[in-house]
């Protein structure tokens, strides 16, 4: 059976926010013969779920080590189902998590980074690009490794309604901390409260620095944004505060403003730690897989998704993500099975 | 006996580098009766040695927590000898290290932060504001706590000819590292080589980024300067590099430029640690006092001083320090005994 194989191509480096059709382009010109396309020892996978992540924006910058090449497909994490396989490790019907090109069907030969999802608790597949997947691991590994959380201390979590931040809020609460969390809309602020945040605010209508002055000082800062928010967090940091650098969404468009108070790092003896999930994986993966899906299944851990359907709508959805207009983890459902 | 009691007053917040007579002023209008000035339970101390430190510049900024007040005396670390005492803990003739107002004679009632120097190895008193004193502790404590030095790795040390940096170079060499060190004059570069630096360069005539590209990547960055050098270090950092934030001399004048590549903290999983000597003191002081003065006495540890004589010359000497024009630890000898 020959079908259209829609895809998303990287067209040019964005100046500022990505523009659908200009930064990227939707292309429906390709077809694929699902029964006969040669696998050459690889697998044919149908994409079910794509994850929308700020990381995509980062990889659109020419200074990134693994930047996208102009003319290539955008690529990010997703979940696909195996339609055909010439690899003994993968069977037809297996659901695989990995970094997929943004197209409906892919023949993959390099599959080292693809892992089979067992899904013992029968969670929706999309959970595995969210709380039970990489964003969940990001939150969990980073928090366990760098927070040195103490009961009664104060944590400040940015992008609190996102896939990572919403889990971090819950981890901080489980560790007995007071949690200040920010997000970019009143609707999201409601969600922060549902997650258990003690102080939740809309950073677009309330000044972060004012909230932190009132509710801080902060002992742990979960940084998803960098820039002025990082500056405010440095000002509001307690002695020996731990800053966990998870993302700097404010820097992904290539702009940067001075952070005049970096010297607080010294004065307050702050520890700032960047981390990458894969490095921490050997240390925390087993505990994560034992604990997290079970807690999701039993609803002890909450998550929220902003669902887009179909590859045609990916570009607009990604733009909305970067504008902060998604509520919950951004996922694209390409097909239900 | 009544004598003049010369002093240095803080006059106005500096814009840029400090200007003698404008930022600060030398004042010889005061006298003191050494025999009869009331101690009210305190001690009368004659200042012998004053330490010139970039920290003085930091405390001239209105955003610092312990900034100087306009009209007050400048204050920094020094060594004095007790002339009279009404405190049982201190005897006439004791040599005390502490934070002194910049004047020849002081009556001190709050002496909690003053410590008696034992000087078992008969080092020059000025060594106790240098390698055997606070700068030495800064280098030693910070290095031991945060470097996680590994033999064969690469360290980059800024302000390598200064009191802290020159000790850090020697600590890194003792740990078997390759050391890249920078300073601001060719004369200082010669000193860096004497200290054992494998790569020594004048950052005013050679681009730091070029040296680091050629000689890096770097595993440990000893940051005394911040700003563009911090940016270059982020670019040249190896995976899991440790940045030890000791000073940000480039920020002490209140200026700040963007550091566009802070995102490297995440990509390279960098750990950035600010520290303050007093916090680490309980952990390392005993080892420091056992090891360092002995190594200085046996010349296994080297140090260099830039000596100014007399309080009249402090302002110009401090200006030279901030311009990077001192070679070695800046000390002011007020009197020999």
């Amino acid at each position: 059976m020959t079908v259209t194989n829609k895809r998303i191509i990287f067209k040019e480096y964005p100046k500022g926010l990505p523009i659908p059709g200009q930064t990227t382009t939707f292309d429906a010109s390709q077809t694929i013969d699902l029964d006969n396309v040669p696998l050459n020892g690889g697998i044919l996978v149908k994409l079910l779920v794509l994850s929308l992540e700020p990381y995509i924006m980062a990889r659109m910058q020419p200074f990134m080590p693994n930047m996208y090449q102009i003319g290539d497909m955008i690529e990010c994490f997703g979940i696909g189902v195996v339609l055909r396989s010439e690899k003994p490790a993968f069977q037809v019907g297996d659901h695989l998590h990995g970094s997929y090109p943004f197209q409906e069907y892919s023949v993959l030969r390099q599959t080292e980074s693809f892992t089979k999802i067992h899904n013992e608790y029968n969670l929706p597949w999309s959970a595995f690009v969210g709380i039970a997947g990489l964003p969940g691991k990001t939150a969990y590994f980073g928090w366990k490794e760098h927070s040195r959380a103490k009961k009664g201390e104060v944590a400040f979590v940015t992008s609190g309604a996102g896939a990572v931040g919403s889990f971090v809020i819950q981890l901080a609460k489980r560790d007995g901390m007071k949690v200040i969390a920010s997000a970019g809309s009143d609707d999201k602020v409601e969600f922060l409260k549902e997650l258990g945040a003690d102080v939740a605010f809309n950073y677009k209508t309330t000044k972060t620095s004012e909230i932190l002055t009132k509710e801080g000082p902060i002992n742990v800062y979960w940084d998803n944004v960098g820039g002025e928010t990082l500056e405010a967090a440095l000002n509001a940091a307690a002695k020996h505060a731990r800053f966990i650098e998870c993302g700097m969404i404010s820097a992904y468009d290539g702009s940067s403003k001075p952070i005049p108070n970096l010297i607080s790092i010294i004065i307050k003896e702050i520890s700032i730690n960047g981390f990458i999930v894969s490095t921490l994986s050997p240390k925390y993966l087993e505990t994560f897989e034992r604990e997290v899906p079970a807690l999701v299944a039993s609803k002890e851990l909450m998550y929220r998704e902003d669902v887009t359907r179909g590859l045609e709508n990916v570009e607009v959805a990604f733009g909305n993500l970067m504008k902060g207009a998604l509520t919950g983890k951004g996922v694209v459902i390409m097909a239900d099975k």
Side-chain angles (χ1 to χ4, degrees), chain A residues 36-44 84-87 107-110:
Chain A
N36 300 306
V37 60
L39 303 188
N40 296 319
I43 56 178
L44 173 65
R84 290 165 51 206
S85 175
E86 291 177 1
K87 283 200 186 271
V107 174
L108 303 165
R109 285 173 201 101
Q110 301 253 316

Side-chain angles (χ1 to χ4, degrees), chain A residues 23-321:
Chain A
T23 310
T24 51
T25 186
F26 172 75
D27 171 47
S29 67
Q30 310 254 316
T31 58
I32 185 169
D33 179 346
L34 298 177
D35 305 306
N36 300 306
V37 60
L39 303 188
N40 296 319
I43 56 178
L44 173 65
V45 181
K46 178 186 183 185
L47 206 51
L48 300 180
V49 178
L50 269 181
S51 178
L52 295 177
E53 310 204 359
Y55 183 52
I56 295 170
M57 186 69 185
R59 290 184 64 184
M60 288 179 173
Q61 306 303 324
F63 56 78
M64 287 292 287
N66 55 349
M67 59 188 177
Y68 301 128
Q69 301 298 318
I70 303 289
D72 278 5
M73 276 179 278
I74 297 296
E75 179 193 300
C76 196
F77 297 104
I79 290 148
V81 59
V82 178
L83 299 186
R84 290 165 51 206
S85 175
E86 291 177 1
K87 283 200 186 271
F90 299 118
Q91 312 301 317
V92 172
D94 280 355
H95 286 74
L96 304 187
H97 179 275
S99 189
Y100 287 94
F102 275 26
Q103 65 179 352
E104 295 180 297
Y105 299 92
S106 293
V107 174
L108 303 165
R109 285 173 201 101
Q110 301 253 316
T111 52
E112 293 75 13
S113 65
F114 285 77
T115 52
K116 190 177 159 175
I117 305 171
H118 295 285
N119 202 358
E120 297 166 47
Y121 295 92
N122 214 14
L123 304 178
W125 292 114
S126 59
F128 293 94
V129 295
I131 192 162
L134 214 77
K137 290 173 193 169
T138 303
Y140 189 91
F141 297 0
W143 184 261
K144 296 287 178 192
E145 178 75 5
H146 294 299
S147 71
R148 288 177 256 150
K150 285 194 201 84
K151 203 177 161 171
E153 283 191 343
V154 180
F156 172 42
V157 183
T158 53
S159 305
V164 176
S166 59
F167 192 7
V168 172
I169 291 170
Q170 296 175 83
L171 287 165
K173 286 312 297 175
R174 293 173 79 89
D175 279 341
M177 295 182 86
K178 169 179 168 179
V179 176
I180 306 168
S182 63
S185 75
D186 292 346
D187 177 46
K188 290 181 186 179
V189 167
E190 283 310 304
F191 179 49
L192 303 181
K193 290 178 188 163
E194 284 170 40
L195 291 166
D198 302 279
V199 180
F201 69 100
N202 179 344
Y203 69 85
K204 291 183 180 166
T205 55
T206 310
K207 274 191 82 125
T208 300
S209 56
E210 278 170 23
I211 294 284
L212 296 185
T213 304
K214 189 166 159 241
E215 303 286 348
I218 59 175
N219 304 96
V220 176
Y221 172 45
W222 186 276
D223 191 5
N224 264 312
V225 290
E228 280 176 23
T229 314
L230 175 55
E231 183 184 341
L234 283 166
N235 279 334
K239 269 268 178 196
H240 301 119
R242 287 82 68 191
F243 281 37
I244 308 176
E245 296 301 324
C246 177
M248 292 194 181
I249 201 167
S250 70
Y252 292 170
D253 61 1
S255 74
S256 78
K257 285 183 202 158
I259 297 182
N261 60 347
L262 283 176
I263 196 165
S264 303
I265 297 169
I266 302 174
I267 300 166
K268 298 177 176 176
E269 303 171 83
I270 293 168
S271 157
I272 301 184
N273 288 284
F275 73 98
I276 287 176
V277 165
S278 54
T279 307
L280 297 176
S281 200
K283 195 165 168 185
Y284 297 107
L285 183 62
E286 204 187 309
T287 328
F288 176 89
E289 291 189 332
R290 197 172 55 239
E291 282 184 5
V292 176
L295 289 170
V296 173
S298 67
K299 314 263 186 225
E300 286 169 85
L301 284 176
M302 291 168 64
Y303 71 103
R304 193 162 162 183
E305 288 176 346
D306 195 313
V307 177
T308 298
R309 292 205 154 250
L311 202 67
E312 296 83 343
N313 303 311
V314 160
E315 292 170 284
V316 169
F318 179 63
N320 286 338
L321 171 77

